[in-house]
Amino acid sequence: MSSVAASAAVLLPAQRASVDGDTVSVLPALYVPEAMQWLSTSSGRVALDGYSWMQAVHWVAGSGLYEPRRHRSHGPRSFGATTVRVAQELAELFPCRPGIEYLVRRTGLSERSVEYHLGMLREAGLLAYIVRGTRIRGAAAQASEFARMVPVEFDVALGVRTAGEGTGRRMTGIAEAGRELMAALSKKAARKVRKRRAKSSSKAPAKGARKGADQGGGTVVSDEARCTPMVGSSRSLSSAGTTSFPPESKLASGQSDSPTPKKVKRGRRKLNSVGRRFQLASELIRQVPWIGRAAVPRIAWILSEVADAGWTADEVIAFLDLGDAPERVHRPSGFLAGRLKGAVALWPHAEGRARAVQAYRGSRRAEQARHQEWEGRWQAPRSESVRRLVAEAFIPRQEQPMDSTQGEVLPAETSIDDLAAEEVAELRATARGEFMRGETTLITSTVDAFGRPAAERLYGADLVQRALRFTSGSRSSLMTLGHR
């Protein structure tokens, strides 16, 4: 059993006795088949943030309800620390559209291992496809986009109360018996699971000891304690070199204290200068769009001067904002080096840099940068069948085709209620997936064309209300949008 599973073994919910006290109900094993690993077919609910999703991930890791080898003959044997590390990377993405190469670079795993752990997260009900990635020969590969899900077994085990319907259910409360377990999961979600470091063996003999043993002559003298030679007078020289005699204060006193006491390290390790450079480079690559394709070591080398001077990522971004934002950058590392030339001399004091950051956050350019994720033209659904359904739903009544055999107008759909159940389900899944990406055009256009009551019957009152609230809030100057 892995360290995560062992430390989280207490998170397995206790067996709950039935009302008559004769039988005991136990949660079933966790497994989601491939056909149910889509947002439109999932039985779980969408996690509103990465922190609440990591609570569900740690619960699955500690409960033991999901066993990968029960459903396949290869791959990892348990849902352990490595799977939790992959989940930590997914929890920081919005939208959750990770590439395999990105996860390989972030976790240090192989490509096959990353695919295994993504499959385990889907089988455990923690991930659901929104759009499945494609690999077409001659075209750029498209990464899969996932929705972070909370399995229904998690809600049952902790007594979580929800409101709403479908995958849009939201948490409204929790039973008293599950509060202690939820607090333990919160502590685990707040911590980072890191890769273990291999410990070097300390049992190898010293180099000088091996050399003296091979030569077979002379007395071996260590650096820590020197002794009087066993042979010859005190004035003679040893073949191993000059031997120094210890003073009286260094002679054995009968105590067994070690000459090299073991130091106990407590608390978190502090980053050195190199680690600080790499940390600053990683933060800038995630936050500055035109640096996103650059390599972390190269950016860390360019940022060495500002990182050693104690600059933060916000301060570097504020300094870069002094110049015009580039439309296209062919070599991000060279452009960044040119922009940061002489930055430490211009902004030498931390107080001045803090004021510059505050001024940048209140600028119009920073506001546009926060909103650029949601700007642009509406993109039509990728699925051909969904596009056909949307087009047919908005055809005006007078444009309905004629039946040539009868010479009569075919019965037109006078309202959204005339749509088939399969079409309604597919439209709901499409609208919810677009809303998770910050797009509300499909819902708002339906409200404008057919009215809000019809849109609520088609997409659900909760989704329509949230979409309209999101649309009205994005137009207000008091609300800012962004992603982590």
Side-chain angles (χ1 to χ4, degrees):
M1 181 181 295
S2 64
S3 59
V4 171
S7 62
V10 296
L11 304 182
L12 180 61
Q15 297 178 344
R16 295 189 296 274
S18 61
V19 177
D20 54 8
D22 296 331
T23 61
V24 175
S25 60
V26 181
L27 288 176
L30 267 177
Y31 177 70
V32 177
E34 186 175 0
M36 303 295 293
Q37 295 175 8
W38 292 81
L39 181 61
S40 57
T41 58
S42 176
S43 61
R45 57 182 174 90
V46 176
L48 299 181
D49 52 71
Y51 176 76
S52 58
W53 183 64
M54 285 304 301
Q55 290 178 320
V57 171
H58 282 283
W59 178 82
V60 173
S63 65
L65 297 178
Y66 171 68
E67 299 179 4
R69 284 300 185 93
R70 181 180 297 179
H71 311 286
R72 60 163 71 104
S73 59
H74 53 280
R77 296 182 178 273
S78 63
F79 193 106
T82 305
T83 312
V84 175
R85 283 174 48 216
V86 175
Q88 285 177 167
E89 299 297 333
L90 300 180
E92 298 178 357
L93 300 178
F94 185 82
C96 186
R97 190 169 55 238
I100 299 297
E101 295 181 357
Y102 169 81
L103 293 177
V104 168
R105 185 172 67 253
R106 294 288 296 174
T107 60
L109 302 173
S110 64
E111 182 176 346
R112 177 63 61 87
S113 297
V114 169
E115 294 175 350
Y116 275 140
H117 292 288
L118 287 177
M120 291 168 57
L121 290 170
R122 294 196 306 270
E123 291 180 354
L126 294 167
L127 287 181
Y129 281 117
I130 298 178
V131 177
R132 190 162 186 173
T134 58
R135 290 187 178 182
I136 302 176
R137 189 172 184 178
Q142 300 293 329
S144 299
E145 182 173 355
F146 299 101
R148 292 180 284 261
M149 308 297 294
V150 177
V152 67
E153 290 81 1
F154 175 83
D155 295 340
V156 174
L158 275 76
V160 175
R161 297 187 295 273
T162 58
E165 58 181 11
T167 57
R169 301 190 306 273
R170 60 187 184 279
M171 179 178 175
T172 59
I174 185 173
E176 189 67 29
R179 294 182 181 273
E180 183 178 356
L181 180 55
M182 183 65 79
L185 292 172
S186 301
K187 293 181 180 179
K188 290 183 175 292
R191 294 198 302 263
K192 293 291 185 181
V193 177
R194 304 187 184 276
K195 184 179 179 181
R196 289 184 175 180
R197 292 189 175 186
K199 296 182 178 179
S200 58
S201 176
S202 60
K203 297 180 179 180
K207 182 177 179 180
R210 290 197 305 267
K211 183 178 180 180
D214 295 338
Q215 293 177 353
T219 304
V220 179
V221 181
S222 66
D223 295 333
E224 298 176 355
R226 297 181 179 271
C227 303
T228 304
M230 298 294 293
V231 181
S233 64
S234 59
R235 297 182 181 180
S236 62
L237 297 178
S238 172
S239 60
T242 304
T243 304
S244 61
F245 297 94
E248 294 292 336
S249 59
K250 298 295 184 180
L251 294 177
S253 59
Q255 299 179 357
S256 60
D257 294 338
S258 174
T260 55
K262 193 173 183 180
K263 296 181 179 179
V264 179
K265 295 182 179 180
R266 300 185 181 275
R268 238 178 127 179
R269 292 186 60 188
K270 187 177 180 180
L271 284 177
N272 56 12
S273 60
V274 177
R276 175 61 189 144
R277 297 171 188 174
F278 275 77
Q279 184 185 47
L280 182 59
S282 301
E283 293 176 359
L284 285 180
I285 288 176
R286 287 196 298 266
Q287 298 183 35
V288 181
W290 52 268
I291 311 181
R293 297 180 294 104
V296 175
R298 182 178 292 272
I299 299 299
W301 177 74
I302 295 172
L303 295 173
S304 59
E305 186 177 4
V306 294
D308 295 344
W311 286 42
T312 63
D314 292 336
E315 294 170 354
V316 175
I317 294 174
F319 187 85
L320 296 176
D321 188 65
L322 296 178
D324 295 333
E327 295 182 359
R328 188 172 183 182
V329 177
H330 296 281
R331 197 162 64 92
S333 57
F335 187 82
L336 178 64
R339 278 286 179 93
L340 293 179
K341 187 176 181 180
V344 176
L346 291 175
W347 289 3
H349 304 295
E351 295 79 6
R353 295 196 297 268
R355 290 194 298 270
V357 170
Q358 293 297 329
Y360 164 73
R361 289 175 178 172
S363 64
R364 184 174 297 275
R365 184 179 297 180
E367 182 180 357
Q368 293 176 355
R370 290 191 293 266
H371 285 266
Q372 69 180 359
E373 180 72 17
W374 317 108
E375 295 178 354
R377 298 181 57 187
W378 175 75
Q379 299 293 331
R382 294 184 177 89
S383 175
E384 183 67 29
S385 59
V386 176
R387 290 199 298 267
R388 177 178 53 81
L389 291 174
V390 173
E392 292 177 356
F394 293 102
I395 293 178
R397 183 174 181 179
Q398 59 270 18
E399 296 182 7
Q400 294 294 329
M402 299 286 293
D403 189 352
S404 58
T405 60
Q406 301 295 332
E408 298 178 357
V409 178
L410 294 176
E413 296 176 349
T414 59
S415 66
I416 294 180
D417 298 331
D418 297 333
L419 294 174
E422 294 80 7
E423 297 174 344
V424 171
E426 197 162 2
L427 281 173
R428 284 186 177 181
T430 304
R432 186 170 298 278
E434 292 183 357
F435 177 74
M436 295 298 296
R437 296 191 295 271
E439 181 59 53
T440 60
T441 306
L442 183 59
I443 299 176
T444 54
S445 60
T446 306
V447 173
D448 296 337
F450 297 93
R452 182 168 178 173
E456 289 179 351
R457 290 196 304 274
L458 177 60
Y459 302 115
D462 180 61
L463 182 59
V464 172
Q465 181 181 4
R466 292 168 63 186
L468 295 178
R469 187 184 304 168
F470 178 86
T471 304
S472 61
S474 63
R475 298 170 184 168
S476 173
S477 59
L478 301 178
M479 177 178 179
T480 59
L481 303 176
H483 60 87
R484 294 189 302 172

